Structure formats: structure tokens, C-alpha cells
């Protein structure tokens, strides 16, 4: 049995109230770990440690090369222990080992990417008279509260930790109370390196730890990935001291297939878009929009593939889809499917727990296909966050765009077409932070990630993802000061 602790001011310790939280295996609901369950007091201690480290410590004044070196060292440790980390992520989230291995590769790549960016960041000299040195400098924001969700625990954390530390900030990480294990293991790796106390702190626990980070006056920036409700509450709390905020929220992502698309590939990717990590992906292509001419054939082909998806524990090499992460998520998905059927959607496949002894315990769901869905149904509007594809039909490009954009969310969208002119036109018209054409899901550290509209504020990854963790300073040095004689001379 794993026992995790908090990491505050360079020390491992139990939660102040010595409380722990049971961490369950989503495959069979057995207890796999007891995680330290921090509360507001622990969060306050961590914030104080981070504040002191930032205000009086050496990290903020470290050179870009030193910070870049640290990120590279972290990447190396992550690569050394990637199998171990992937196994832990699979155990805790239920995702397949192949997916967790991909995640760990991406986690290390994130640290490597920001190491490169940090090393070359020297600010910018501004045009000015000869006796003036005017520079735009990137300085760390200060103490950063990082709050992460349960679907990509270490990957989402890496997108925040790497640029935050790289820019010279001190951080307090709060992972989801459901999936704290990989963040705890990551923190163990950090202790192998020479990081000053207080620069990195880990406080596992529930929403109150996150709320404390959002409210506390000594936190300068809060970066949150999670649901809209918590995001709104964080935004309100952060207004107390006008914190910088980054919000990566949910999505209701349209995957649009035009009649001229390569159907074999589009069908294959539609499955990947929707069932990767059992659909628990913020950018999941759960809302399939099919052009009238290909609609029936496309649905038929999907229905043929669904029974062949191998559902099983992520550790087994033949498993293609694991369970969903929690009982709460399981219930929510089932109730949304029921609501869809009640509103007139046609259940083509799935809709419940798979048959068989293996699936009796744990949060298992069949891959599910609902057709004849209309834009005004709950399942076309709410983020389902499970292995469910809803299918709507459209007649022409204008209708596809109207349906696709008719959501308050704006995280990701895809278009399948062989017509490059249409591809370009639709990419521009879709109001989403990422628009893929003839592909689904790729993201990488070099490109920005984030949402339009209610999918969030700010961007992660890319150069912009680093700038989110910096304050811009105009440094102005007059090399030849002389009296001005303006007043009373
Ligand atoms: P959640 O909002 O319930 O929780 C996210 C984190 O916030 C957890 O650590 C939680 O403990 C904490 N939290 C909850 N309430 C809080 C509050 N009031 N104040 C401060 N912290 C609080 O989300 P979740 O269920 O863990 O994750 C699923 C959601 O995350 C989905 O909506 C998904 O779309 C979104 N998500 C978005 C992205 C993205 O890049 N946009 C990526 C992954 C997940």
C-alpha cells in the first residue's frame, strides 16, 4: 500500500490534521493508496514557504542557464523512471499503459521544451536614444498556485510546473484528490535535485486547498485546469488581490466530417477522438457532426467497430479502453446517456456497463454511440467526459459551422475534408483554440493550448505558455542624466 505525504519547505510531512484519503483503483474499487489529505492550514504553510523562498531565496535570481539546467535534469529523471511513472498513472487513472507511456513521453518533452526556451530568453532591447538603455524584461510573477485535474494528472501538472519554475517562480502544486500519486512520485524525483527549500511544494487534498490558493493574498498567480464551476469560483476568489489567472476548462468539441472526406481515415479517427482515455479528455471529439450524404454509412461503420473495442484494465497489453476514473463520473455519464435517450436520441450501441465478471466492480462503461441527436438536447450541450459519441447531421457548410460554434465552449474542433479551400475557410470560422484538419488530438509543446469563450483564459505550452508565468518589466537606464530645468529653474 502506498502512503503519500505533503512536501512543504523542503520537508515531507503528514497533513496537519493527519488526515488521509483513500485512493481507489478504478478497475475494481480496491484501495491502492492512502494519500495525505491536506487542508487550508497545510496550504497556508506551503504558501508561506513559497513566499519566503521567492522573496528572500536564490531561485528568483538564478540565471536562465541554471533554471534551464534544472528543467533538463528533471526531464532526465522523468525519462529514467518513465515506466514506473506510467504504471502509477495507469493504476490511479485507469487509462491504458500505452496511453500513460505516451503521457510520460510528453511530460519529459514539456520540460525539455521549456528548458530550451528559458535558456535563450534574454528579454528585448527597445529602440531608444543612444544614452538610454531601454529593455523589456521577463521577470517571475512570484508565488504560483497550480491546481490540476484527474484525467491527465502529471501531464497537466508538467504544463504548469515547467514554465513556472523555468521563469523563476516558486510553486505550490495541488493535484486532484482522486489522482495525486504521480504528482507525489514526481516530487520524490525533485528531491534528488538541488532545489532550494520552498521553491516547489506539494499539497494534496480537496477543493479547499485549491480555494485557499485562489484566495490567499500571498499567491500571485493561480493556474487551474478543471471544470467550469470550479474555474468560476477560482476567478472570483482570485479577484481579492487581482492575481494573474490561467484557466483551462472544459470543452464540447465538434468533430465535423464533410461528405468528401476520406471515410476510412475519418471513421478511424472519430473513434480515437472520442474513446481515447475513455473519453475523459477535455478536447475529446465527442460531438460528431456528419454531412447528410455520408451520415448513414458513417454511423454503420462506427457501429461495426464499437463491439470490437477491447475494454479492460490498462495494465493488460490488449486493453484498448480502461474504466472511467470515479464512481461520480460513472453515474454522471450514465445519467446523461439516459437523458439523451429520453429526449429522443437513438442508442446505436453501448449505453451501460459491459457484461462479464471482470466488469462487476469498478467504473466500467461500454463505448456508446447515440445518433439522431439535436443541438438542443442536453447531451449535445453538456460536457459528457466519458466514452460517448453523439451524432448530429448537417446539410451544408454553413449549418455545420452554426452547429459547431453553437456552444459556450471553444476548446478544440476538427474538420475532415479533401477540399483545401473549405478546410482553410472552416478553420478560420470555427471559434476554438485548436482546429485540426484531417487529424484529431495532436498537441505538442511548441504550439499553444487553450480555449476560446468558456473554455478558459490564457494559454499553456509554447512561448506564450512561458510568458504567462512572467511579469513584463520595462527597465530604463539613463547613462547621461542632466538637470531638466522644468520647474522653477
Ligand atoms: P474539477 O474542476 O472538479 O477539479 C479540478 C481541480 O480543482 C481539482 O484539483 C479539484 O480538487 C480543484 N477544485 C475543485 N473545486 C475547487 C474550487 N472551488 N477552488 C479551487 N480548486 C478547486 O475538475 P476535474 O473533474 O478534476 O477535471 C475534469 C475537468 O477538467 C473537465 O471539465 C475537463 O474538461 C477539464 N480539463 C480541461 C483541460 C484543458 O486543457 N482545458 C484539460 C484537462 C481537463
Amino acid at each position: 500500500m502506498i502512503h503519500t505525504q505533503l512536501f512543504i519547505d523542503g520537508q515531507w510531512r503528514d497533513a496537519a490534521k493527519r488526515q488521509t484519503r483513500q485512493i481507489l483503483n478504478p478497475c475494481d474499487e480496491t484501495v491502492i493508496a492512502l494519500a495525505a489529505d491536506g487542508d487550508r492550514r497545510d496550504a497556508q504553510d506551503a504558501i508561506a514557504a513559497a513566499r519566503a523562498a521567492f522573496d528572500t531565496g536564490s531561485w528568483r535570481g538564478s540565471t536562465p542557464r541554471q533554471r534551464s539546467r534544472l528543467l533538463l535534469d528533471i526531464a532526465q529523471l522523468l525519462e529514467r523512471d518513465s515506466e514506473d511513472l506510467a504504471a502509477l498513472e495507469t493504476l490511479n487513472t485507469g487509462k491504458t499503459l500505452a496511453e500513460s507511456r505516451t503521457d510520460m513521453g510528453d511530460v519529459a518533452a514539456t520540460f525539455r521544451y521549456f528548458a530550451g526556451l528559458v535558456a535563450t530568453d534574454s528579454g528585448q532591447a527597445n529602440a531608444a536614444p543612444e544614452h538610454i538603455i531601454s529593455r523589456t524584461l521577463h521577470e517571475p510573477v512570484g508565488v504560483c498556485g497550480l491546481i490540476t485535474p484527474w484525467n491527465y494528472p502529471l501531464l497537466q501538472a508538467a504544463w504548469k510546473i515547467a514554465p513556472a519554475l523555468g521563469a523563476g517562480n516558486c510553486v505550490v502544486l495541488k493535484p486532484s484528490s482522486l489522482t495525486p500519486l504521480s504528482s507525489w512520485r514526481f516530487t520524490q524525483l525533485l528531491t534528488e535535485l538541488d532545489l532550494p527549500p520552498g521553491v516547489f511544494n506539494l499539497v494534496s487534498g480537496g477543493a479547499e486547498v485549491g480555494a485557499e490558493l485562489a484566495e490567499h493574498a500571498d499567491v500571485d498567480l493561480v493556474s487551474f485546469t478543471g471544470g467550469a464551476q470550479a474555474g468560476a469560483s477560482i476567478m472570483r476568489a482570485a479577484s481579492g488581490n487581482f492575481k494573474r489567472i490561467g484557466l483551462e476548462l472544459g470543452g464540447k468539441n465538434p468533430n465535423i466530417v464533410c461528405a468528401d472526406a476520406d471515410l476510412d481515415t475519418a471513421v478511424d479517427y472519430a473513434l480515437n477522438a472520442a474513446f481515447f482515455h475513455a473519453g475523459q479528455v477535455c478536447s475529446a471529439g465527442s460531438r460528431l457532426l456528419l454531412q447528410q450524404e455520408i451520415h448513414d454509412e458513417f454511423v454503420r461503420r462506427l457501429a461495426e467497430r464499437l463491439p470490437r473495442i477491447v475494454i479492460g484494465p490498462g495494465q493488460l497489453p490488449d486493453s484498448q479502453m480502461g474504466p472511467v476514473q470515479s464512481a461520480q463520473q460513472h453515474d454522471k455519464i450514465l445519467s446523461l446517456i439516459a437523458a439523451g435517450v429520453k429526449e429522443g436520441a437513438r442508442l446505436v450501441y453501448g449505453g451501460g456497463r459491459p457484461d462479464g465478471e471482470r466488469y462487476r466492480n469498478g467504473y466500467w462503461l461500454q463505448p456508446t454511440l447515440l445518433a439522431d441527436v439535436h443541438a438542443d438536447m442536453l447531451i449535445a450541450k453538456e460536457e459528457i467526459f466519458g466514452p460517448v459519441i453523439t451524432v448530429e447531421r448537417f446539410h451544408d457548410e454553413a449549418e455545420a459551422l452554426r452547429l459547431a460554434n453553437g456552444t459556450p465552449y471553444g476548446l478544440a474542433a476538427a474538420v475532415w475534408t479533401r477540399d483545401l479551400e473549405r478546410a482553410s475557410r472552416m478553420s478560420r470560422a470555427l471559434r476554438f483554440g485548436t482546429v485540426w484538419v484531417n487529424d484529431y488530438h495532436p498537441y505538442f509543446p511548441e504550439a499553444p493550448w487553450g480555449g476560446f469563450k468558456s473554455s478558459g483564459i490564457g494559454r499553456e505550452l509554447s512561448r506564450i505558455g512561458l510568458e504567462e508565468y512572467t511579469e513584463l518589466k520595462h527597465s530604463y537606464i539613463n547613462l547621461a542624466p542632466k538637470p531638466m530645468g522644468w520647474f522653477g529653474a
Side-chain angles (χ1 to χ4, degrees):
M1 170 87 69
I2 298 168
H3 289 257
T4 78
Q5 289 186 299
L6 313 180
F7 187 71
I8 297 174
D9 206 14
Q11 302 290 327
W12 289 104
R13 63 173 231 201
D14 291 330
K17 288 192 185 142
R18 305 209 158 267
Q19 279 175 337
T20 56
R21 197 181 282 247
Q22 290 187 339
I23 304 300
L24 303 183
N25 181 344
C27 292
D28 57 12
E29 298 167 64
T30 54
V31 179
I32 51 175
L34 288 178
D37 192 26
D39 62 11
R40 280 184 185 265
R41 204 175 115 195
D42 298 297
Q44 287 157 7
D45 290 349
I47 293 165
R51 186 81 255 163
F54 185 76
D55 289 344
T56 60
S58 56
W59 185 244
R60 164 192 183 180
S62 56
T63 64
R65 190 184 292 174
Q66 285 167 325
R67 297 200 293 270
S68 173
R69 183 73 258 162
L70 175 88
L71 299 190
L72 288 174
D73 288 346
I74 294 174
Q76 212 164 28
L77 291 175
L78 286 163
E79 282 154 359
R80 185 196 70 188
D81 289 359
S82 66
E83 267 304 298
D84 186 25
L85 283 159
L88 198 59
E89 201 77 303
T90 284
L91 182 68
N92 199 169
T93 60
K95 65 175 72 181
T96 64
L97 206 45
E99 291 183 27
S100 291
R101 285 182 177 135
T102 306
D103 288 1
M104 293 314 134
D106 291 343
V107 167
T110 302
F111 279 90
R112 288 200 179 281
Y113 170 72
F114 282 110
L117 267 193
V118 167
T120 57
D121 181 27
S122 52
Q124 176 195 315
N126 303 318
E130 226 168 62
H131 65 289
I132 301 296
I133 300 176
S134 164
R135 289 186 302 155
T136 301
L137 302 176
H138 294 133
E139 299 210 340
V141 178
V143 173
C144 301
L146 313 179
I147 306 171
T148 51
W150 47 261
N151 59 339
Y152 282 86
L154 195 54
L155 186 61
Q156 296 297 338
W159 287 12
K160 300 179 193 306
I161 297 166
L165 290 182
N169 298 284
C170 296
V171 311
V172 180
L173 172 67
K174 192 213 90 67
S176 165
S177 53
L178 298 168
T179 56
L181 300 186
S182 54
S183 295
W184 162 75
R185 186 75 190 84
F186 170 84
T187 309
Q188 286 186 325
L189 293 187
L190 278 192
T191 62
E192 293 184 36
L193 301 171
D194 197 16
L195 199 59
V199 172
F200 180 90
N201 304 274
L202 172 76
V203 183
S204 47
E208 66 177 308
V209 175
E212 187 64 32
L213 291 173
E215 285 164 27
H216 204 293
D218 276 342
V219 176
D220 302 291
L221 175 153
V222 64
S223 176
F224 166 83
T225 302
Q229 207 183 341
S233 148
I234 284 170
M235 203 168 167
R236 280 191 296 272
S239 69
N241 67 333
F242 300 100
K243 285 181 184 60
R244 305 281 172 274
I245 52 170
L247 300 176
E248 294 289 346
L249 307 176
K252 189 70 189 173
N253 314 291
N255 184 15
I256 307 167
V257 187
C258 301
D260 70 334
D262 166 358
L263 285 204
D264 288 342
T265 311
V267 167
D268 195 61
Y269 271 72
L271 295 166
N272 197 287
F275 299 132
F276 211 68
H277 192 13
Q280 304 163 110
V281 184
C282 51
S283 52
S286 55
R287 203 181 162 207
L288 189 58
L289 305 185
L290 300 177
Q291 194 155 10
Q292 172 65 25
E293 294 87 322
I294 54 156
H295 175 278
D296 293 355
E297 172 65 7
F298 207 98
V299 170
R300 190 189 64 71
R301 290 200 203 184
L302 286 177
E304 220 174 70
R305 294 273 292 264
L306 294 196
R308 305 212 296 262
I309 293 176
V310 182
I311 309 167
Q315 291 83 356
L316 297 183
D318 63 340
S319 294
Q320 295 174 341
M321 195 175 89
V324 296
Q325 208 283 326
S326 67
Q328 191 192 3
Q329 201 56 24
H330 194 255
D331 294 350
K332 180 189 149 193
I333 296 162
L334 285 175
S335 74
L336 277 168
I337 294 171
V341 171
K342 200 166 164 205
E343 283 188 287
R346 176 165 55 94
L347 183 62
V348 179
Y349 185 81
R353 191 181 274 275
D355 290 331
E357 189 55 34
R358 174 192 275 181
Y359 309 114
R360 193 188 294 248
N361 297 317
Y363 314 124
W364 300 99
L365 283 173
Q366 293 170 299
T368 295
L369 181 60
L370 288 160
D372 301 339
V373 173
H374 294 284
D376 53 0
M377 292 180 183
L378 190 65
I379 47 169
K381 295 192 276 197
E382 281 262 317
E383 186 183 40
I384 300 177
F385 226 59
V388 181
I389 298 179
T390 64
V391 183
E392 293 163 67
R393 50 179 105 207
F394 65 90
H395 295 88
D396 55 25
E397 191 179 314
E399 189 182 11
L401 290 170
R402 188 171 49 74
L403 288 171
N405 283 331
T407 160
Y409 290 113
L411 190 58
V415 182
W416 293 84
T417 177
R418 287 189 170 100
D419 178 343
L420 283 184
E421 207 180 327
R422 174 189 291 149
S424 162
R425 213 170 38 231
M426 291 183 76
S427 307
R428 295 299 299 269
L430 286 163
R431 302 209 58 230
F432 294 82
T434 294
V435 180
W436 295 291
V437 172
N438 296 333
D439 213 322
Y440 207 99
H441 272 326
Y443 62 86
F444 33 84
E446 291 79 1
W449 181 262
F452 281 27
K453 305 197 286 185
S454 298
S455 286
I457 294 178
R459 292 292 181 272
E460 297 198 290
L461 302 179
S462 80
R463 184 173 289 281
I464 291 148
L466 177 63
E467 286 172 6
E468 297 259 329
Y469 290 91
T470 63
E471 285 283 14
L472 280 185
K473 178 179 281 178
H474 176 207
S475 161
Y476 177 104
I477 301 173
N478 189 341
L479 300 174
K482 290 194 179 58
M484 284 177 89
W486 188 300
F487 289 108

